[in-house]
Amino acid sequence: MAHRRVTIQDIADACGLSRNTVSKVFNNRGTVPEATKRAVLQKAQELGYHQLPESSGSAPVGSGRNIALLTGNDPQGHSFGSLVITSFTDQTSRAGYNLKIYRVSEEEIKNFTLPPHLHLNETVGIIAIELFDKEYCDMLCTVDVPIVFIDSYANTGFSLLKSDLVTMENFASISFLTRHLIRCGATRFGFVGDITHCLSFEERWMGYRAALQEAGLSPIEAYSILSKDDAPYGDTDWLIDQLRSMPRIPDAFVCANDYLAIHLMTALKKMGLSVPNDVMVTGFDGSPEASVVEPALTTARIPSMSLGRIAADVLLNRIQNPDRPFMRTYVNTEPLLRDSTR
């Protein structure tokens, strides 16, 4: 029978320390007393931990010419992430830096560890995209390397995030789209997407609710699909089951992004419903697919190339001025009215 892999939490429990303290030892970050370091490393060796840190004596943290991009998903698998990375890379390479991309695994997030091939002593800055675990993001903020987040976890607005944040404007554009649906005659609304997935989804939900309340309408969750982000939103049959479980199909759906909206329109069509005659649908992102789907999707365009360049400027400025106050930068989005709304 295979032995269970030793984790950071196992070492922390054995040493009577917090998981955060142990992760500092293995990531060579923060200040940990030498006696504590020795105790942690000795216990890790006794337990057979698989990722012992390299012996220090190398260059200090934050030296080198590398910028690390940390991501929980493949950001180049969709147009937003791909364009952001392209423009970010162009801007930082002009300044003489190299970009290295690291996929952060679920195990690394759980154990508060950095990817094993990421060496902080060779890294001058970090950009984080598609990383939405609050505790892991908070851990990254303690690394002695400048970091900028593109989007962040839900409830970031209520957190004292110790880093720079660059994201798209969500509240105003989604409110505009919801008010447009109201002007088109919609009175019953549904929202589609996991509102706890990330800050941008949460802000879109808040803008949607605010527009309804402004019009004297109630956001009834029975008309919405709010399942967790790992639910099969791309499965048409699953979406049809969610739609059929509603008291009735609402007049309009406001979706957290274009991907959700396009799959929802496919499900509605399979049910024999017409978009926009029976149901109106809006998305968010301004993806290329939104302009070619039938009917063309009403959405809000994110200026992804500009967002990537701005994120690069913020990180480069932070590298040069590490003591300046942290910034939250919102880049305006643009509503696009198309044929999926009347």
Side-chain angles (χ1 to χ4, degrees):
M1 182 176 178
H3 293 291
R4 184 176 67 84
R5 202 174 193 182
V6 176
T7 67
I8 288 279
Q9 187 63 62
D10 294 328
I11 300 168
D13 292 342
C15 294
L17 298 169
S18 70
R19 186 166 54 175
N20 191 44
T21 298
V22 174
S23 71
K24 286 181 180 180
V25 175
F26 287 97
N27 292 325
N28 290 317
R29 59 181 176 80
T31 303
V32 179
E34 284 301 322
T36 302
K37 286 184 182 179
R38 288 195 296 271
V40 167
L41 294 175
Q42 181 178 345
K43 184 57 67 176
Q45 196 166 23
E46 291 173 3
L47 296 175
Y49 184 60
H50 69 286
Q51 191 180 319
L52 291 172
E54 298 176 5
S55 58
S56 58
S58 52
V61 168
S63 63
R65 301 297 294 177
N66 294 330
I67 290 176
L69 186 149
L70 301 183
T71 179
N73 294 305
D74 178 12
Q76 301 189 77
H78 49 83
S79 60
F80 166 70
S82 178
L83 292 172
V84 166
I85 291 174
T86 297
S87 58
F88 179 88
T89 304
D90 179 68
Q91 195 85 341
T92 53
S93 64
R94 291 171 186 269
Y97 295 101
N98 305 308
L99 183 70
K100 293 192 173 185
I101 300 177
Y102 301 89
R103 174 76 178 269
V104 183
S105 69
E106 291 184 7
E107 182 181 5
E108 286 158 354
I109 290 174
K110 178 181 177 181
N111 292 324
F112 293 105
T113 55
L114 296 171
H117 301 299
L118 170 58
H119 303 296
L120 293 179
N121 57 359
E122 301 172 359
T123 304
V124 72
I126 295 173
I127 186 81
I129 182 170
E130 290 285 322
L131 273 177
F132 302 137
D133 182 276
K134 181 184 185 305
E135 291 186 342
Y136 193 80
C137 291
D138 289 344
M139 181 278 287
L140 289 176
C141 292
T142 68
V143 174
D144 295 328
V145 174
I147 182 168
V148 173
F149 288 92
I150 295 180
D151 204 353
S152 190
Y153 52 83
N155 284 321
T156 302
F158 297 96
S159 300
L160 296 174
L161 190 67
K162 293 181 172 59
S163 73
D164 294 310
L165 169 68
V166 177
T167 189
M168 71 293 296
E169 194 289 315
N170 300 290
F171 190 97
S173 283
I174 209 82
S175 297
F176 177 93
L177 293 178
T178 306
R179 289 195 298 270
H180 171 67
L181 291 168
I182 294 169
R183 288 192 296 270
C184 290
T187 57
R188 284 182 299 273
F189 285 80
F191 189 91
V192 179
D194 177 7
I195 61 178
T196 66
H197 173 56
C198 58
L199 175 63
S200 58
F201 277 26
E202 178 189 41
E203 290 181 338
R204 291 168 199 175
W205 164 254
M206 293 168 64
Y208 156 80
R209 287 174 58 92
L212 291 184
Q213 290 167 354
E214 176 187 62
L217 300 173
S218 298
I220 301 172
E221 292 190 13
Y223 295 141
S224 296
I225 305 174
L226 305 175
S227 302
K228 290 298 183 183
D229 194 64
D230 58 3
Y233 282 98
D235 184 335
T236 303
D237 292 334
W238 180 83
L239 284 171
I240 290 174
D241 287 341
Q242 307 307 304
L243 292 167
R244 285 178 173 160
S245 69
M246 295 178 180
R248 62 178 296 177
I249 300 298
D251 304 319
F253 283 105
V254 175
C255 300
N257 65 17
D258 291 348
Y259 171 87
L260 298 169
I262 290 169
H263 283 287
L264 179 71
M265 288 200 298
T266 300
L268 290 167
K269 291 175 189 176
K270 286 187 71 172
M271 294 174 66
L273 296 169
S274 168
V275 179
N277 295 327
D278 296 320
V279 189
M280 293 181 284
V281 178
T282 68
F284 205 106
D285 280 349
S287 64
E289 295 82 3
S291 63
V292 298
V293 69
E294 179 60 39
L297 179 64
T298 290
T299 184
R301 179 191 290 133
I302 301 171
S304 304
M305 294 289 285
S306 295
L307 196 149
R309 285 191 289 269
I310 290 168
D313 289 341
V314 170
L315 182 58
L316 294 173
N317 198 321
R318 171 64 57 193
I319 292 169
Q320 297 298 320
N321 303 283
D323 296 326
R324 72 172 187 174
F326 294 123
M327 296 173 55
R328 297 192 182 197
T329 305
Y330 279 82
V331 181
N332 274 356
T333 53
E334 177 190 5
L336 303 173
L337 302 181
R338 293 177 176 150
D339 296 337
S340 66
T341 54
R342 294 191 290 272

